């Protein structure tokens, strides 16, 4: 095209003409002034592979040169192709010419204002169609000037059922929701969940949990400890999320097995190599002091070392540099060596009388708590001089966290649970009655109060306490009179009672005798035997609430209890947040943790922790 060529003005904007490449340039009317070199390079690769799909648009000046007002990026890409290859096909370029500057300006504004990226659903389908026609991922990336990672992600979506893509197109689900469905290989389950989430603000994680309710993330401490590769080597199934790079382990039973086996293997080293008397593994992620107290373990500590005068001076100098943040790597190593000397180590005698507990912490790393002396080893450890004998002064006895009234209430609740259990064991009641009435027991009052005493079996705060109605048997005379239950004709009442049969008679005897059982009849060990034989369960009759328990103990106790329930220490964010609550709020929070599934989920309770919570009772009974 030269200035000698004539073009009719009314035909210019309706024809697409081939214009020599050297006659083309970017018009000042083109609004896109800044474009990244990477984008132009990708676009050039795409045009070389698939050709120029859309023509350019511009305005010709009086010299026959054309300023491009729409398609500037395409022109830059064509110029790059021409620059890097002498055999390029673009001697001329198709350009639609505007009739005048006003029309050209309208085109420039219209193209950029109307430019709209493909919707995710359209892009998914387009990528999928190219894949079906045999295009490779790099070729698809070139064609659409996108990254290969984007192509892989879109192709993962392309494999979804058509109903999911339709819902994405119609705006019934978000792109994030569609991504979550790529984790499913069960179409029926996918479509079922799709129907439930259409038009709903459901999180991706909730959908993933619904698709794989038993799956465990690779970030779980068990998975970190075992290793995903080791898990897969044993045949464990995994699902990989292309979008978040998350990995889900679909065989929790296998993971638990591998976790236990590896932990048991790790337990052998402290005994063989380090000389400890014993080593024990725990499945929990944290061992707190309350657990140690419950196990009646004593603790011994390493024997600290001493630094020479020169070493002490060096230690102080290095510590000062470390506090100032200017200690180099060699200095840190030296400071660690000196610190190890100060920290000391366990002696051979200490190891011979103590052991350690090994667990896997929240980061998936082994954590060893050493220097623990079992109750049966304490005497020998004291005699060997590695454990100090316990002090017997009253000042060493810790104050009970329970008030006397609360303790009395809990004992009444436990008594009620034992009595209720005995109602289902009439033969046991009769055996106990016979034993109590014989001289073998020494005193019948150690088992039953034959005078039909009625020990207190109801707490002063009855919130959360479920009374067994059959244990109301034996109201005193004043109650009978007040309730109008006075028997007018004893003879008739006795005849009627006998006609009810032996089964009813035995039931009445069982109820009456059971109601007389005092708390810790005879001695605590014997009472415990009765409770075990009867299968007593306090939690069948009592649920801890703010009113009946949590508000009646100290805030410090509640914080310790929260640590115990969550298997963590006070540094855990959940406990730290709990500690900031007011006392009444702490009590309410504990009640919700015990009884509210939503609170349990938000606090991250595991199934084992929930089971532990369902059985928990305070140790004052």
């Amino acid at each position: 095209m030269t200035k000698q060529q004539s073009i009719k003005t009314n035909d210019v904007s309706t024809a697409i003409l081939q214009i020599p490449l050297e006659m083309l340039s970017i018009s000042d009317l083109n609004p896109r002034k800044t474009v990244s070199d990477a984008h132009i390079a990708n676009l050039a690769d795409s045009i070389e592979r698939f050709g120029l799909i859309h023509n350019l648009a511009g305005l010709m000046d009086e010299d026959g040169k054309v300023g491009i007002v729409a398609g500037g990026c395409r022109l830059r890409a064509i110029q790059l192709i021409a620059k890097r290859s002498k055999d390029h096909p673009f001697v001329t370029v198709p350009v639609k010419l505007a009739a005048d500057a006003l029309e050209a300006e309208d085109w420039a504004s219209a193209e950029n204002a109307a430019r709209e990226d493909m919707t995710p659903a359209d892009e998914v389908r387009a990528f999928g169609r190219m894949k079906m026609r045999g295009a490779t991922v790099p070729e698809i990336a070139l064609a659409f000037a996108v990254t290969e990672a984007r192509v892989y992600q879109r192709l993962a979506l392309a494999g979804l059922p058509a109903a999911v893509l339709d819902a994405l197109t119609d705006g019934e689900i978000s792109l994030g929701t569609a991504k979550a469905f790529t984790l499913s290989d069960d179409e029926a389950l996918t479509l079922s969940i799709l129907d439930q989430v259409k038009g709903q603000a459901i999180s991706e994680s909730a959908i993933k949990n619904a698709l794989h309710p038993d799956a465990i993330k690779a970030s779980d401490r068990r998975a970190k400890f075992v290793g995903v590769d080791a898990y897969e080597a044993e045949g464990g199934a995994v699902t990989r999320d292309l979008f978040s790079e998350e990995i889900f382990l679909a065989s929790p039973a296998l993971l638990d097995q591998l976790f236990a086996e590896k932990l048991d293997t790790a337990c052998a080293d402290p005994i063989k190599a380090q000389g400890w008397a014993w080593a024990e593994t725990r499945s929990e992620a944290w061992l707190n002091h309350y657990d140690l107290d419950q196990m009646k373990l004593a603790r011994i500590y390493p024997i600290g070392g001493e630094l020479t005068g020169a070493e002490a001076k060096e230690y102080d100098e290095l510590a000062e540099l470390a506090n100032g943040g200017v200690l180099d790597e060699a200095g840190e190593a030296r400071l660690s060596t000196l610190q190890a000397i100060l920290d000391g180590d366990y002696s051979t005698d200490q190891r011979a009388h103590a052991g350690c507990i090994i667990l896997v912490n929240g980061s998936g790393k082994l954590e060893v708590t050493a220097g623990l002396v079992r109750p049966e080893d304490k005497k020998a450890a004291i005699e060997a001089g590695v454990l100090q004998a316990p002090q017997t002064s009253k000042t060493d006895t810790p104050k009970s966290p329970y008030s006397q009234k609360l303790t009395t209430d809990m004992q009444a609740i436990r008594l009620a649970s034992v009595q209720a259990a005995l109602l289902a064991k009439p033969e046991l009641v009769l055996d106990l009655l016979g034993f109590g009435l014989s001289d073998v027991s020494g005193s019948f009052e150690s088992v039953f109060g034959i005078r039909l005493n009625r020990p207190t079996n109801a707490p002063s705060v009855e919130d959360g306490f479920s009374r067994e109605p059959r244990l109301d048997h034996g109201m005193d005379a004043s109650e009978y009179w007040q309730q109008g239950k006075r028997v007018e004709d004893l003879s008739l009442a006795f005849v009627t009672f006998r006609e009810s049969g032996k089964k009813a008679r035995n039931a009445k005897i069982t109820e009456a005798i059971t109601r007389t059982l005092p708390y810790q009849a005879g001695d605590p060990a014997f009472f415990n035997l009765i409770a075990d034989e009867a299968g007593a369960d306090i939690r069948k009759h009592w649920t801890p609430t703010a009113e009946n328990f949590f508000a009646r103990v100290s805030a410090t106790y509640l914080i310790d209890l929260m640590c115990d329930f969550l298997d963590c220490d006070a540094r855990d964010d959940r406990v730290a947040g709990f500690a900031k609550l007011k006392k009444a709020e702490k009590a309410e929070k504990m009640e919700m943790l015990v009884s509210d599934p939503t609170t349990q989920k938000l606090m991250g309770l595991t199934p084992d922790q929930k089971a532990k919570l369902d059985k928990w009772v305070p140790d004052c009974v």
Side-chain angles (χ1 to χ4, degrees):
M1 176 68 67
T2 67
K3 65 180 180 179
Q4 287 78 21
Q5 291 177 289
S6 61
I7 299 175
K8 294 180 180 180
T9 303
N10 60 349
D11 292 334
V12 170
S13 62
T14 60
I16 298 176
L17 303 180
Q18 293 291 332
I19 308 297
L21 178 57
E22 64 270 14
M23 302 293 287
L24 302 178
S25 63
I26 304 297
S27 170
D28 290 338
L29 296 176
N30 193 307
R32 299 191 70 178
K33 304 300 183 185
T34 304
V35 184
S36 71
D37 293 339
H39 174 65
I40 297 302
N42 285 335
L43 185 55
D45 292 339
S46 176
I47 292 174
E48 278 190 309
R49 172 66 176 83
F50 299 101
L52 184 64
I53 299 174
H54 300 291
N55 61 271
L56 283 60
L59 176 66
M60 179 181 288
D61 62 19
E62 60 183 10
D63 295 326
K65 295 181 179 180
V66 177
I68 299 302
V69 297
C73 289
R74 278 164 276 164
L75 175 58
R76 291 182 179 93
I78 292 171
Q79 290 171 335
L80 178 59
I81 294 171
K83 182 178 179 181
R84 68 191 185 188
S85 174
K86 293 182 179 180
D87 300 325
H88 67 88
F90 296 103
V91 177
T92 61
V93 180
V95 181
K96 183 177 181 180
L97 297 178
D100 52 36
L102 182 60
E103 184 176 38
E105 187 173 0
D106 288 341
W107 285 1
S109 300
E111 177 173 273
N112 284 277
R115 179 182 287 116
E116 182 178 353
D117 292 334
M118 296 175 68
T119 65
D122 289 340
E123 196 173 57
V124 167
R125 289 190 167 101
F127 288 9
R129 286 193 295 268
M130 286 194 68
K131 182 68 175 176
M132 291 178 65
R133 290 198 298 268
T136 64
V137 169
E139 288 175 338
I140 298 172
L142 282 175
F144 289 88
V146 296
T147 64
E148 292 184 14
R150 184 184 181 104
V151 175
Y152 278 115
Q153 292 174 349
R154 291 295 189 256
L155 290 178
L157 292 169
L160 291 171
V164 178
L165 294 180
D166 290 341
L168 178 60
T169 302
D170 297 338
E172 295 177 310
I173 61 173
S174 67
L175 179 60
T177 299
K179 290 176 180 178
F181 280 119
T182 61
L183 295 178
S184 173
D185 54 5
D186 186 336
E187 183 171 347
L189 177 60
T190 295
L191 296 179
S192 173
I193 295 176
L194 175 65
D195 289 338
Q196 299 175 45
V197 303
K198 282 182 180 179
Q200 304 294 319
I202 307 298
S203 68
E204 292 180 45
S205 60
I207 295 174
K208 292 176 182 178
N209 290 336
L211 292 170
H212 296 281
D214 298 325
I216 298 171
K217 288 185 178 181
S219 58
D220 184 275
R221 67 185 182 93
R222 293 167 294 172
K224 287 182 177 180
F225 181 62
V226 173
V228 175
D229 291 341
Y231 165 82
E232 288 188 279
E234 294 296 326
V238 300
T239 301
R240 288 178 167 82
D241 188 344
L242 282 175
F243 301 93
S244 66
E245 298 184 355
E246 285 184 327
I247 300 176
F248 297 88
L249 284 63
S251 308
L254 174 62
L255 178 62
D256 286 338
Q257 174 191 332
L258 297 176
F259 177 82
E261 290 174 353
K262 186 172 182 179
L263 189 55
D264 286 341
T265 301
C267 185
D269 182 63
I271 299 176
K272 295 180 180 178
Q274 300 178 30
W276 291 106
W278 58 271
E280 175 184 317
T281 61
R282 298 290 290 268
S283 60
E284 299 89 348
W286 185 263
L287 181 67
N288 58 37
H289 294 290
Y290 179 77
D291 291 328
L292 298 180
D293 290 342
Q294 291 296 102
M295 296 169 67
K296 308 300 182 184
L297 296 172
R299 190 80 180 264
I300 58 178
Y301 298 92
I303 300 173
E306 293 184 4
L307 300 178
T308 64
E311 288 175 334
K313 181 179 179 182
E314 182 185 10
Y315 178 89
D316 292 339
E317 293 172 349
L318 292 173
E320 185 176 353
L321 291 174
N323 292 334
V326 293
L327 188 62
D328 59 19
E329 186 174 343
E332 290 179 354
R334 178 57 178 165
L335 182 59
S336 296
T337 300
L338 295 175
Q339 187 63 57
I341 295 174
L342 285 175
D343 292 340
D345 197 5
Y346 293 97
S347 69
T348 302
D349 285 343
Q350 285 179 315
R351 295 172 189 268
H353 291 87
C356 55
I357 293 177
I358 304 172
L359 51 79
V360 176
N361 63 26
S363 299
K365 303 294 184 182
L366 280 176
E367 191 169 291
V368 180
T369 302
L372 305 175
V373 182
R374 287 173 166 170
E376 60 268 29
D377 299 326
K378 289 180 180 178
K379 182 178 180 181
I382 293 172
E383 292 174 351
V386 300
L387 180 67
Q388 186 176 4
Q391 300 295 321
T392 58
S393 64
K394 293 182 179 180
T395 57
D396 291 335
T397 304
K399 182 181 179 181
S400 172
Y402 315 110
S403 66
Q404 182 58 48
K405 189 171 184 180
L406 175 57
T407 300
T408 301
D409 280 352
M410 293 307 305
Q411 291 172 349
I413 291 169
R414 188 187 182 200
L415 176 59
S417 70
V418 176
Q419 290 178 342
L422 284 174
L423 294 176
K425 302 287 182 83
E427 290 300 319
L428 176 59
V429 173
L430 294 177
D431 288 343
L432 290 169
L433 177 61
F435 172 72
L437 292 175
S438 70
D439 57 0
V440 177
S441 66
S443 171
F444 67 84
E445 290 183 351
S446 65
V447 180
F448 290 112
I450 300 302
R451 294 186 299 275
L452 296 184
N453 293 335
R454 290 176 293 281
T456 300
N457 67 354
S460 61
V461 178
E462 295 200 20
D463 177 59
F465 175 65
S466 176
R467 182 190 297 274
E468 166 56 63
R470 288 177 294 174
L471 292 178
D472 287 337
H473 185 287
M475 291 186 294
D476 62 28
S478 62
E479 290 179 280
Y480 273 99
W481 281 99
Q482 292 171 5
Q483 297 184 24
K485 293 184 178 180
R486 181 173 179 272
V487 177
E488 298 291 345
D489 190 335
L490 290 176
S491 298
L492 178 60
F494 179 62
V495 171
T496 302
F497 174 78
R498 296 183 70 183
E499 289 175 349
S500 64
K502 291 184 179 181
K503 185 176 181 179
R505 177 207 65 189
N506 291 345
K508 291 298 183 182
I509 292 174
T510 300
E511 292 170 10
I513 298 296
T514 297
R515 185 63 180 85
T516 71
L517 178 71
Y519 186 74
Q520 294 193 345
D523 62 67
F526 184 50
F527 187 76
N528 290 338
L529 182 148
I530 296 173
D532 292 340
E533 282 277 327
D537 184 356
I538 294 178
R539 290 298 298 273
K540 285 185 178 180
H541 305 275
W542 177 76
T543 299
T545 66
E547 182 180 352
N548 70 24
F549 186 82
F550 298 121
R552 303 170 70 184
V553 294
S554 69
T556 301
Y557 175 83
L558 291 178
I559 294 173
D560 290 340
L561 194 59
M562 180 64 79
C563 290
D564 180 41
F565 287 163
L566 299 180
D567 294 319
C568 64
D569 71 348
R571 294 172 293 182
D572 189 283
D573 290 341
R574 297 168 295 177
V575 179
F578 176 76
K580 295 178 182 178
L581 299 177
K582 296 179 180 178
K583 170 66 183 302
E585 293 173 336
K586 286 186 177 72
E588 293 295 334
K589 185 75 171 181
M590 294 299 287
E591 178 177 336
M592 295 294 288
L593 185 65
V594 169
S595 59
D596 180 43
T598 300
T599 300
Q600 293 174 353
K601 184 175 182 180
L602 291 174
M603 293 294 282
L605 260 67
T606 65
D608 289 343
Q609 289 169 339
K610 291 179 183 178
K612 175 182 176 181
L613 202 57
D614 290 340
K615 295 179 180 179
W616 177 85
V617 293
D619 57 5
C620 60
V621 293

